[in-house]
Amino acid sequence: MNPIKAQIKEQIVEFPEYLSPLKVHSLKYLKYSSCIDLNDTIQIAHEPWNGVYSFAIRLFTPAKKSWISNYQKKFGLVIPKFYKDFLLITNGCSFYGLDLFGLPPSIQNENVLNRTDPEPLDLSTANVYWKNGYINTQEFFHFGGRQFSDDENIGYFIEGKNKIHAIKKDGEILFSRDTFTDFLKDELEISESIMKEDIPEDWWS
């Protein structure tokens, strides 16, 4: 294993047990072309058919505790504890088109989104603006989403401390999960299957 992949593996194997689905999928695809970006973003499994800078998996460098407290004060929103813990391990991520939102460093440091470096989709934008596109979600915390069909995405929302819902734009709850681990396991499998439909034949064999 080359030094960069060894470094990536060393970081991923330290993930806590409740993030084991992220660990399993990351290690599975690490055998393909992977790198660490200049801003320390882990990028796994290059997808050149989707673009020069496209990777199947992105894991962003951990958020700082001060970013989380500043976010909550600025927007009056409480990030559920399990998601705070997640952000301190990886500040959002992207797996096969499934996105879990984070706190972009450029916004925390400069108050302006940097569109040149890989950064997570923004939790503040999600909870101030994007959630308005989903019916009956104002009391929920919006933390991610993925493709549902060719013309629709579903959003991920947290109700209370840990109840996770996948919700369509019309407010229909497709499913709910009681743990982050179960949610990750099920959704990563679905997102992986969607990704595989678009992979050129024999590219990843």
Side-chain angles (χ1 to χ4, degrees):
M1 179 176 289
N2 70 45
I4 295 298
K5 288 187 177 182
Q7 184 179 344
I8 292 173
K9 182 178 180 180
E10 182 179 355
Q11 293 184 48
I12 291 172
V13 296
E14 293 298 320
F15 282 8
E17 184 61 28
Y18 79 96
L19 296 181
S20 58
L22 296 184
K23 183 188 305 186
V24 168
H25 282 261
S26 297
L27 295 177
K28 175 181 177 181
Y29 283 92
L30 186 57
K31 63 184 178 180
Y32 303 112
S33 180
S34 305
C35 68
I36 299 177
D37 197 85
L38 292 176
N39 70 350
D40 294 328
T41 298
I42 292 174
Q43 305 189 113
I44 297 174
H46 189 213
E47 299 178 314
W49 57 90
N50 284 331
V52 175
Y53 300 109
S54 180
F55 289 82
I57 296 170
R58 276 197 170 113
L59 295 160
F60 300 101
T61 189
K64 297 179 181 179
K65 289 184 178 180
S66 62
W67 295 354
I68 295 174
S69 59
N70 289 341
Y71 168 89
Q72 295 187 136
K73 290 176 183 177
K74 183 175 182 178
F75 298 101
L77 296 165
V78 176
I79 302 176
K81 184 182 184 304
F82 81 85
Y83 205 72
K84 290 181 189 177
D85 294 340
F86 166 72
L87 293 175
L88 294 173
I89 295 168
T90 178
N91 183 18
C93 62
S94 176
F95 277 73
Y96 325 128
L98 177 158
D99 290 295
L100 301 185
F101 307 152
L103 305 173
S106 60
I107 292 181
Q108 314 312 312
N109 296 326
E110 304 168 17
N111 206 33
V112 177
L113 182 63
N114 181 345
R115 299 186 183 279
T116 60
D117 295 331
E119 292 193 329
L121 294 176
D122 181 36
L123 273 174
S124 64
T125 304
N127 283 282
V128 174
Y129 299 107
W130 296 341
K131 72 186 301 181
N132 295 327
Y134 296 85
I135 296 176
N136 298 326
T137 61
Q138 287 308 302
E139 301 303 314
F140 300 159
F141 187 82
H142 188 19
F143 73 99
R146 68 162 170 85
Q147 179 184 358
F148 177 67
S149 66
D150 288 341
D151 56 3
E152 184 177 7
N153 292 335
I154 57 172
Y156 299 139
F157 295 85
I158 302 169
E159 179 182 9
K161 294 182 178 180
N162 55 21
K163 188 76 169 182
I164 299 173
H165 302 299
I167 301 178
K168 296 176 64 178
K169 296 283 187 178
D170 62 6
E172 177 187 353
I173 297 178
L174 290 176
F175 66 81
S176 301
R177 297 289 182 269
D178 292 323
T179 73
F180 197 33
T181 306
D182 288 342
F183 160 78
L184 290 172
K185 181 179 182 298
D186 293 345
E187 282 297 276
L188 288 176
E189 290 177 358
I190 292 172
S191 296
E192 182 185 30
S193 67
I194 293 173
M195 175 194 70
K196 286 182 176 180
E197 294 176 0
D198 295 328
I199 296 175
E201 186 177 1
D202 297 329
W203 184 270
W204 288 344
S205 57

